Amino acid sequence: MADTAYAPAKVNLFLHVGAPGADGYHPLCSLMVFADVGDRITVHDADALGLKVRGPFADAAPASADNLVLRAARALLARSAGPTPPVGLILDKVLPVAAGLGGGSSDAGAALRLLRAALGAPLDDAALEAVAAELGADGAACLWGRPVLAEGRGERLSAAPVLPVLDAVLVNPRTPVSTPAVYRQLDASGRFGDVAPPRMPTAFESAAELAGWLATQRNDLEAPAIAVEPEVGAVLDTLAGEREALLARVSGSGGTCFALCASDIEAEGLAERLEAMAPHWWVRRCRLGGPWPDAG
């Protein structure tokens, strides 16, 4: 047995974050899309459950017990009836870590999908989604890797508007950004947003139309992320000043910024110029949308 699944990068086109409740959790509202750039998970026969991590960012995602892939596997196995054959997992880690791209959640989601199929685990989609949601705010959305509006703690999902395929560039300064630190910065500022879903068209016809609408929205974690790691602000300022960028914004709790472009030609030109301008940055031209079952 050896099967592989794609774990796409997640991008928050907007992210509104409210004041924490009595339980300490912040409610949110976010329009999420997924990239044709991501990690891969492979499941194979093994003597015992284990994880091997390889790839350019393997050192930043060690195969320790708290790795989300192993946590997802243990959670699924705990819900499976009867004995299960031992399996091993391999993570090809090509996305930067602590980057606002939901990489760990997407890896966990790919592992859940693979293991359910490989082991014949008796969980329907709703049950699998519940397992994914327990792993973090991005877990439920990242399980399926398709455009979605997420609310609550990220577990309440509804259909996104119809979106065009979006050409984009992802840029990360190769500096991890701590999500807890970003939320502490947000709490200290007291600048919480309205998390009621904004009025959205049922469909966007072009990247330019979407970018124009997104300009009226925001990422409430953008300023806190820049305060925690100023290099994120340098990336964002650079993207915003480039002629190809219809919109530049931080994704998630930071690390990675994205620029929406009008076409693949513009995205390619922007990516090539950024790679020459700042060779120490992680730069990837991509398409945003999803799902991308065969991407990578």
Side-chain angles (χ1 to χ4, degrees), residues 164-222:
V165 173
L166 301 168
D167 294 292
V169 178
L170 305 178
V171 184
N172 183 282
R174 296 183 184 268
T175 303
V177 178
S178 165
T179 296
V182 170
Y183 272 98
R184 286 194 296 270
Q185 183 71 29
L186 176 68
D187 290 344
S189 74
R191 296 174 181 171
F192 306 111
D194 179 2
V195 294
R199 294 183 62 182
M200 290 182 283
T202 57
F204 290 94
E205 298 297 327
S206 68
E209 181 188 4
L210 176 61
W213 182 82
L214 286 172
T216 68
Q217 307 303 312
R218 61 195 188 276
N219 178 354
D220 291 330
L221 298 183
E222 188 168 278

Side-chain angles (χ1 to χ4, degrees), residues 141-295:
C142 287
L143 176 63
W144 310 119
R146 56 181 177 241
V148 68
L149 183 73
E151 298 177 76
R153 297 183 186 175
E155 83 287 359
R156 296 201 330 255
L157 307 179
S158 56
V162 177
L163 302 172
V165 173
L166 301 168
D167 294 292
V169 178
L170 305 178
V171 184
N172 183 282
R174 296 183 184 268
T175 303
V177 178
S178 165
T179 296
V182 170
Y183 272 98
R184 286 194 296 270
Q185 183 71 29
L186 176 68
D187 290 344
S189 74
R191 296 174 181 171
F192 306 111
D194 179 2
V195 294
R199 294 183 62 182
M200 290 182 283
T202 57
F204 290 94
E205 298 297 327
S206 68
E209 181 188 4
L210 176 61
W213 182 82
L214 286 172
T216 68
Q217 307 303 312
R218 61 195 188 276
N219 178 354
D220 291 330
L221 298 183
E222 188 168 278
I226 292 169
V228 168
E229 179 44 67
E231 186 69 8
V232 175
V235 171
L236 184 62
D237 289 344
T238 299
L239 282 177
E242 297 300 313
R243 62 182 181 273
E244 296 93 345
L246 299 172
L247 175 86
R249 180 163 285 164
V250 171
S251 179
S253 58
T256 304
C257 301
F258 66 93
L260 298 184
C261 301
S263 73
D264 180 63
I265 294 174
E266 279 80 4
E268 182 177 18
L270 175 57
E272 289 177 353
R273 192 163 63 256
L274 290 169
E275 287 171 342
M277 181 191 312
H280 57 292
W281 288 352
W282 180 85
V283 179
R284 292 294 182 275
R285 174 170 59 93
C286 68
R287 294 173 297 163
L288 299 178
W292 309 103
D294 299 318

